[in-house]
């Protein structure tokens, strides 16, 4: 039977199905990363983005197009991580803007929503690049407009659109040579297809077990009292102290009469009884003061396995202690927040994304007010940016993303902030962020500072050294799994077997006749002795340049280097 319309209840289920599908496929999507580095994160970013929205959507008990649209749009916007996550959130934003006024979605409305989704996403990216998730979204938007002219069956029409989306995705390597060389399709486009296929499976009844995603935050505590009833229960109120579980592997006859007798016995020694009999096993759960009695009774029916006994009074004590620590920490945080707000508002403040204790200290030393932990392996969300903005008491706040995959999330946070002037300095690397901060001039206008900081960091060449996680050919270089790679601003500059040699080759490739300063930041997996030896060798090779060595402490990347 044809499906002519979708109501809000079905849309809610479809969205959660799409979220669940990409959550299950995220690691596979991560592996489509063009560069064979150990930080492929497109799948993770898209999954975390849609899951932030799914948590909001799953809490709606009486769905309407309006409340679903708000939950999807705002949840995805605030949860967006990385370029792929931000673009996905913009696709949702455009889609929901189109549908929110309707009570039912038909093929015509769906076509308009696809078109608005693609248009919104393209507008959000300053320099849209074809061969990406944007191309796949636009291709499907054009296809559904064509299909909707003669087809009013959503099942039939959307199937044709998804098939065309797969075709467009397969063509992305023809539009982006780097994809073709690496032998992969665009990972963001693949992620989008997985979301939509999950939605479609639900529409046609293929995906019926939709797990409602709980609110991960749980009940919020307050400093005056944790709030949940169990926290105020004294251990004396716990009548039966041991949570006892086991499985009986039946060796004797066990029937309905035996089951009833066994349950009565368990009731005589405890409560919270669960006794499930299935063929030749019995699953038992009971709260009791004498676990041995339950175990001995179980042994009369057969052998036991999967035995587990927990002291609930002890667990309660530990929970009370942890809750008290939590309250103390919250009280301290509230006091610090009051003290912060009591301080006069500064003219300028700084937020920087950083990873590694050494890098954090460097940024703090340059005057950064708030460090967002993140970077290559975990891109912070728009929500993380907004929380950081809230913590900095300043009229103008400069955000340094220090990663090209975080700039869009920062810009999205900028667009959602109304009470402060947010300036995003588009730093793509840590060295660029450091240079930008050094060139900030107090007392000058935000526009002048933004222009100067952006211009100066453009003079910095950055490089990173890590290892390959798979075999590939990229930038005309054959790379084997486990090889060491030196990655510059424009691609892979060196490949080798030795960390120090590959780093030295990377620096050689970055040098020019105007170079005056070489900065080397060594990571968590490099000893200070090895780093000092490398710095000494570089200093000897380039005596006319100053060489600075710093402990960055960053994971994944053995060295981060800059030449300016």
């Amino acid at each position: 039977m044809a499906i002519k319309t979708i109501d809000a209840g079905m849309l809610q289920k479809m969205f959660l199905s799409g979220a669940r599908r990409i959550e299950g496929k995220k690691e596979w999507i991560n592996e489509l990363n063009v560069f064979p580095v150990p930080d492929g994160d497109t799948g993770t970013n898209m999954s975390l983005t849609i899951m932030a929205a799914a948590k909001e959507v799953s809490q709606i008990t009486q769905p309407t197009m309006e409340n679903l649209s708000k939950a999807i749009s705002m949840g995805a916007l605030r949860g967006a991580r990385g370029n792929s996550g931000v673009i996905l959130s913009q696709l949702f934003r455009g889609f929901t803007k189109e549908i929110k006024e309707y009570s039912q979605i038909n093929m015509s409305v769906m076509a308009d929503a696809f078109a608005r989704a693609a248009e919104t996403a393209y507008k959000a990216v300053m320099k849209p690049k074809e061969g990406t998730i944007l191309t796949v979204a636009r291709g499907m938007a054009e296809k559904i407009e064509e299909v909707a002219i003669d087809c009013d069956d959503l099942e039939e029409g959307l199937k044709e659109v998804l098939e065309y989306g797969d075709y467009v995705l397969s063509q992305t390597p023809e539009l982006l040579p780097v994809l073709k060389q690496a032998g992969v399709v665009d990972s963001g486009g693949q992620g989008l297809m997985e979301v939509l296929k999950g939605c479609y499976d639900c529409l046609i009844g293929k995906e019926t077990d939709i797990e409602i995603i709980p609110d991960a935050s749980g009940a919020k505590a307050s400093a005056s009292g944790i709030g949940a009833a169990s926290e105020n229960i004294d251990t004396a109120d716990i009548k039966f102290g041991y949570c006892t579980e086991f499985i009986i592997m039946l060796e004797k006859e066990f029937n309905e009469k035996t089951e009833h007798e066994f349950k009565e016995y368990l009731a005589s020694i405890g409560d919270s009884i669960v006794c499930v009999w299935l063929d030749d096993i019995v699953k038992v759960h009971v709260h009791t003061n004498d676990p041995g009695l339950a175990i001995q009774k179980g042994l009369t029916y057969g052998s036991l396995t999967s035995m587990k006994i927990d002291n609930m009074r002890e667990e309660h004590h530990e929970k009370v202690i942890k809750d008290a620590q939590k309250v103390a920490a919250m009280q301290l945080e509230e006091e610090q927040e009051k003290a912060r707000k009591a301080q006069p508002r500064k003219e300028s403040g700084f937020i920087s994304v950083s990873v590694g204790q050494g890098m954090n200290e460097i940024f703090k030393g340059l005057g950064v007010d708030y460090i967002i932990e993140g970077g290559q392996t975990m891109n912070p969300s728009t929500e993380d940016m907004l929380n950081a903005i809230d913590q900095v008491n300043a009229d103008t706040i400069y955000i340094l993303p220090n990663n090209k995959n975080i700039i869009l999330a920062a810009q999205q946070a900028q667009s959602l902030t109304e009470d402060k002037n947010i300036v995003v300095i588009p730093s793509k690397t840590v060295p660029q962020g450091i240079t930008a901060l050094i060139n900030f001039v107090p007392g000058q206008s935000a526009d002048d500072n933004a222009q100067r900081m952006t211009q100066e960091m453009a003079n910095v060449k950055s490089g990173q050294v890590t290892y390959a996680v798979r075999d590939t050919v990229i930038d005309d270089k054959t790379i084997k799994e486990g090889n060491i790679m030196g990655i510059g601003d424009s691609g892979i500059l060196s490949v080798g077997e030795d960390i120090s040699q590959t780093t030295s080759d990377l620096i050689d490739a970055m040098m020019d006749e105007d170079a005056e300063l070489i900065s080397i930041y060594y990571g968590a997996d490099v000893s200070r002795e090895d780093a000092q030896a490398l710095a000494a060798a570089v200093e000897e090779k380039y005596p006319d340049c100053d060489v600075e060595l710093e402990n960055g402490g960053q994971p994944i990347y053995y060295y981060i280097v800059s030449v300016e």
Side-chain angles (χ1 to χ4, degrees), residues 55 59 213-219:
K55 286 175 183 175
Q59 302 304 308
I213 302 164
D215 181 3
S217 63

Side-chain angles (χ1 to χ4, degrees), residues 254-266:
F254 197 90
N255 52 38
E256 290 183 7
K257 181 182 177 184
T258 318
E259 181 185 19
H260 179 70
E261 291 173 349
F262 184 38
K263 287 181 177 178
E264 281 194 338
Y265 176 78
L266 293 175

Side-chain angles (χ1 to χ4, degrees), residues 70-84:
K70 183 177 180 180
I72 292 170
S73 180
M74 289 308 298
L77 280 173
R78 298 180 77 91
R81 295 173 187 266
N83 292 343
S84 57

Side-chain angles (χ1 to χ4, degrees), residues 107-108 111 142-153 157:
M107 197 65 185
S108 176
E142 292 171 351
K143 184 64 176 179
I144 195 171
E145 184 178 6
E146 172 191 320
V147 171
I149 295 173
D150 300 315
C151 177
D152 63 355
D153 181 355

